[in-house]
Amino acid sequence: MNNQQQHQKTMERVQQGLDRRYRKERHFRWLGLGAIILGLLFVSFLFITIISNGYTAFQQTYVKLDVFYDPEMIAPIGETDPEVLSRANYGGLIKASMRQMFPEVTNRREKKVLYGLISTGASYELRNAVMSNPALIGSKAEVWVVADDDVDMLIKGHIDLRLPESDRRIKDNQLGWIHLLQEQDRIEKRFNTTFFTAGDSREPELSGIKGAIAGSFFTLLICLTIAFPVGVAAAVYLEEFAPKNRWTDLIEVNINNLAAVPSIVFGLLGLAVFINFFGLPRSVPLVGGLVLALMTLPTIIIASRAALKSVPPSIREAALGIGASPMQTITHHVLPLALPGMLTGTIIGMAQALGETAPLLMIGMVAFIVDVPGSVMDPSAVLPVQIYLWADSPERAFVERTSAAIMVLLAFLISMNLLAVWLRKKFERRW
Amino acid sequence: MNDTSTAKTGLQSEAGAAMKQNRTAEGTVGEVYVDDPRMTCRNVDVYYGEKQAIFDVSLDVGKNQVISMIGPSGCGKSTFLRCLNRMNDTIDICRVTGQIKMDGQDIYDGGLDVVPLRASVGMVFQKPNPFPKSIYDNIAYGPRIHGLCDDKQHLDSIVEKSLQRAGLWEEVKDRLDQPGTGLSGGQQQRLCIARAIAVSPEVILMDEPCSALDPIATAKIEELIDELRENFTIAIVTHSMQQAARVSQRTAYFHLGKLIEVGETDQIFTSPRHKLTEDYITGRFG
Ligand SMILES: Nc1ncnc2c1ncn2[C@@H]1O[C@H](COP(=O)(O)OP(=O)(O)OP(=O)(O)O)[C@@H](O)[C@H]1O
Ligand SMILES: [Mg+2]
C-alpha cells in the first residue's frame, strides 16, 4: 500500500467518525443550555413569587377623617405643655369622628367593630400633629389616618368575599361602612412610609424594617471592623512570613475546615463564650457581629491569601532587588495589588453574614423588639431574623411584609455583590 | 564615583598570563582571580533542599568590568548570580555555603544586613518587571526607601539622571506620570536598569536581560551595558554567545553546576581550553 492510499484510508476513517464527534458536542451543548435555562427558571420563579407577593406592602390604605380637635378632650385652647398634650385621649377624637360619620351605629358592640376600621396607630398621628402644633386645638381638619390591616387587605383584594361571614376577618357590616367611605372618596392607597421608618410591631400596618436594617448595619459594622483587619493580618502572616512547616500546614487545614463549619455552631460558640463567659448582653449587635466575624473570618483569610498569591513574584523580586525590606515589599507593593481581591472576598463574606440567621437565633437576636437600635449595645433584630419572625405571624398583612422585607434584603445583597464585581473589574490585572 | 584607575583589560590579561598556573582554582580552567576584584567568591556550594545546584565555584568579579556567564540551560547560572545579592534568601529551601566577599566584606556574614547589600548590588531580571506605578515612582522608589534624596528637587534630579544613563530620558520625559507598565518591552527593561542605578549601586547583576526583547531593543541594552561599565561592575547571564562576546571582558562557562572555564572573553571564544567549553561554543552542545 503506498502513501497516497494510506492517506485516503485515514481520511475515510476520520470522515466516518466526524459525524459522531459533532453529535456528541451538540448533545453536550444542549445539556449545558438546558441546565442554564432550568437554573434561570428557578431564579425567575423565586423573584416572581417574592415580588408579586411583596410589592403591595409598599402601599398602605389610609382613611380620611374629619377630626375636631376638641378642647374638652385634649386640653384648653392655648395649652402648650407637652406633658399635658401627650397624655390626652386622642383615640377619643377618632372615635368621635367615626361616630359622627356613622350616626346610625349605636350598639356598643357595633361601635367597637366600627372603631376597629382604623389602626390603633392613628391616635399617635393625631398626638404628633397636636404636639408639633398646639394651635390646632379647637379647630377642625381633614386628616388621613392609617387604616387597620384587615381593611388594608380588603382594599388590596386579599380577602375572599365568597367565604361565609364567620370565616372572614372583615364582617358584613364593616363591608357596608367601607363601601360608604369609598363612595365618599375617603379611602386611598398611599406609599407606605411606615414600612421604612418604624421598627417591628404587633400591628402589621404599624410595623417596619428600620429597626432590622439598623440592627443589621450595626452587626455588620462590628463584623467588618473585626474580621477584615484580623483576616488580612492572618493572611499576610501565613502567606508572607510563616515558615512552611507542619504547624502552618495544620493551621491551614483548620482554617479551611472552619470555613465549612455549619453556622449554627458559631452561634453556640458565641452563646457559650460571649454571653455566658464574658457576660455580654443577649440580643445585641455587638455579640451578633462578633459571632458573624468568627464565621466570616475563614472566608476572608482564604480570599486574601488567594489575592496575595496572585500577585506576581516578579513584583516582589523587583522590590527586594533594590533593597526593600520584606515589610516594605509587602506594604508598598504586594498589599496594594492584593487589596481589590481582598476587598472582593470581604464583601462576599459580608453579604453572607448579612443573610445569616441561624447563629443569631442562638444568641437571642430573635426577640420581638419595637425600638430602632441606636448603638451596638441596644437589643435589636436583623433583616433575615425579621423575615423569619414575620413569616411566622398569622396575619395576612405580614405575608406581604415578609416578601417586601425579602426584597429589601435581596436588594442589599445584590448591590453588595455588584460592588464586589465592579471592584474586581476595575482593578483587574494591572501588571 | 568608582576609582578610575582600574587596570585596562589588556594590562590585566598580561599580568594574569604571567601567573596563570597558580591562579587556577581546582576544577576550573583559566584565571579565576583578578588583581582588582569587586566581589570574590570562594568555594561556593548551593543546595536546593537535598539537591546541590552549584559545586565548589570560586570566581572573582573585577571592578568596572563586565563578566558574562554562559552555559547550557539549568547549569546554575541564575543560581550563582542570585548568590551575589543574596536573592536566594527568598527561597526557603535554598542554602549557600562558602565565602562571598564584596570589597573585602563577607556578605553572608551573620551581622550583615541584606538591605544595604541589595542597595549596593542591584539586579535586573529576565522579564522586565516595572512596578505598576508611574515611571517617576518606579525610579524614585529606591532612593525614597533608602533615604537618598534630601528634597523633591534632589529626587527629580536623581530620576532624570538615572533615566538619562539608561538612555530612556528622551523617550519618556514628557510622560513621567504614566504607568511604567505601559512602555514597550525594551523600554521597560531600560526602566528597570534605570531603577537599579538610581540607588547608585556598585554592582549590577543582570539575568538574561534581553531574552524577552527584539534585536533592536537588545542592541540598545547592549550599548547601554557598555556605557554603564564606566561606573558600575556588571555580571550578566546570557544565552547568546554573540552578546557575551560583544559586551563582556571576561566570560565564565558553567556546566552542571560547576564552573568549567573562566577567561578573557576573546580567549574563551577563540581558543577555549576545556573540551566542554569548546563543544558549547562551537554549538555541539547546549
Ligand atoms: N527554586 C528552586 N528550587 C529547586 N531547585 C531549583 C530552584 N531554582 C533552580 N533550581 C535548580 O537548580 C539548577 C540550576 O538552576 P538555574 O535556574 O540556576 O539554571 P540556569 O543556568 O539559570 O538555567 P537557565 O539558563 O534555563 O535559566 C536547576 O537544576 C534547577 O532545577
Ligand atoms: Mg536562569
Side-chain angles (χ1 to χ4, degrees), chain B:
Chain B
M1 79 196 312
N2 285 304
D3 64 340
T4 43
S5 68
T6 320
K8 294 275 169 296
T9 20
L11 275 177
Q12 208 180 327
S13 79
E14 269 166 40
M19 303 164 72
K20 207 156 256 174
Q21 242 40 50
N22 43 14
R23 282 186 152 227
T24 308
E26 201 183 340
T28 303
V29 179
E31 40 175 323
V32 165
Y33 311 132
V34 298
D35 293 330
D36 192 12
R38 173 120 276 155
M39 301 192 82
T40 56
C41 311
R42 296 288 175 270
N43 311 104
V44 174
D45 291 314
V46 182
Y47 304 83
Y48 288 111
E50 293 297 298
K51 192 170 147 276
Q52 188 166 3
I54 294 288
F55 297 83
D56 194 26
V57 169
S58 299
L59 181 64
D60 282 358
V61 180
K63 268 184 195 156
N64 296 47
Q65 263 197 347
V66 179
I67 181 166
S68 62
M69 303 177 191
I70 58 171
S73 190
C75 66
K77 308 178 293 287
S78 300
T79 302
F80 182 71
L81 193 74
R82 290 162 60 93
C83 290
L84 300 180
N85 68 344
R86 292 184 53 179
M87 224 31 204
N88 283 334
D89 289 11
T90 59
I91 300 169
D92 278 342
I93 54 167
C94 186
R95 196 159 51 82
V96 180
T97 63
Q99 193 185 52
I100 302 179
K101 280 185 177 175
M102 171 153 170
D103 294 328
Q105 199 190 5
D106 191 345
I107 66 169
Y108 277 87
D109 180 13
L112 191 91
D113 201 288
V114 293
V115 167
L117 170 70
R118 292 202 188 126
S120 45
V121 184
M123 187 151 190
V124 176
F125 298 84
Q126 175 170 6
K127 219 179 112 232
N129 56 354
F131 299 128
K133 298 178 190 252
S134 72
I135 294 173
Y136 185 93
D137 286 336
N138 261 283
I139 311 294
Y141 183 67
R144 271 192 194 130
I145 58 169
H146 294 302
L148 303 182
C149 47
D150 311 319
D151 50 32
K152 176 88 173 85
Q153 224 171 350
H154 187 198
L155 188 60
D156 286 350
S157 75
I158 294 180
V159 170
E160 179 176 346
K161 208 171 99 203
S162 308
L163 283 169
Q164 260 164 355
R165 276 173 149 183
L168 197 60
W169 176 249
E170 287 305 318
E171 289 158 69
V172 301
K173 66 180 176 200
D174 302 322
R175 44 169 173 157
L176 290 176
D177 54 344
Q178 284 176 22
T181 41
L183 297 172
S184 77
Q187 288 173 326
Q188 285 188 22
Q189 196 61 300
R190 277 180 284 152
L191 181 68
C192 292
I193 293 175
R195 181 176 64 190
I197 56 187
V199 292
S200 323
E202 292 174 22
V203 182
I204 303 176
L205 310 176
M206 299 185 177
D207 193 351
E208 303 182 39
C210 302
S211 65
L213 305 182
D214 65 278
I216 293 171
T218 302
K220 279 199 174 154
I221 303 261
E222 285 178 6
E223 226 173 89
L224 176 60
I225 292 172
D226 211 43
E227 286 165 20
L228 291 177
R229 180 162 61 93
E230 241 181 78
N231 295 307
F232 305 96
T233 300
I234 296 173
I236 176 172
V237 168
T238 173
H239 269 147
S240 153
M241 280 176 274
Q242 290 86 338
Q243 185 169 71
R246 278 193 298 261
V247 300
S248 68
Q249 285 74 54
R250 286 174 82 222
T251 296
Y253 173 69
F254 285 77
H255 188 90
L256 293 179
K258 296 195 179 79
L259 178 56
I260 302 298
E261 184 168 352
V262 205
E264 299 300 320
T265 298
D266 293 345
Q267 175 257 311
I268 294 276
F269 283 104
T270 51
S271 51
R273 290 192 290 166
H274 198 288
K275 180 78 170 56
L276 284 169
T277 321
E278 192 182 335
D279 286 353
Y280 184 73
I281 304 274
T282 52
R284 253 170 285 172
F285 180 74

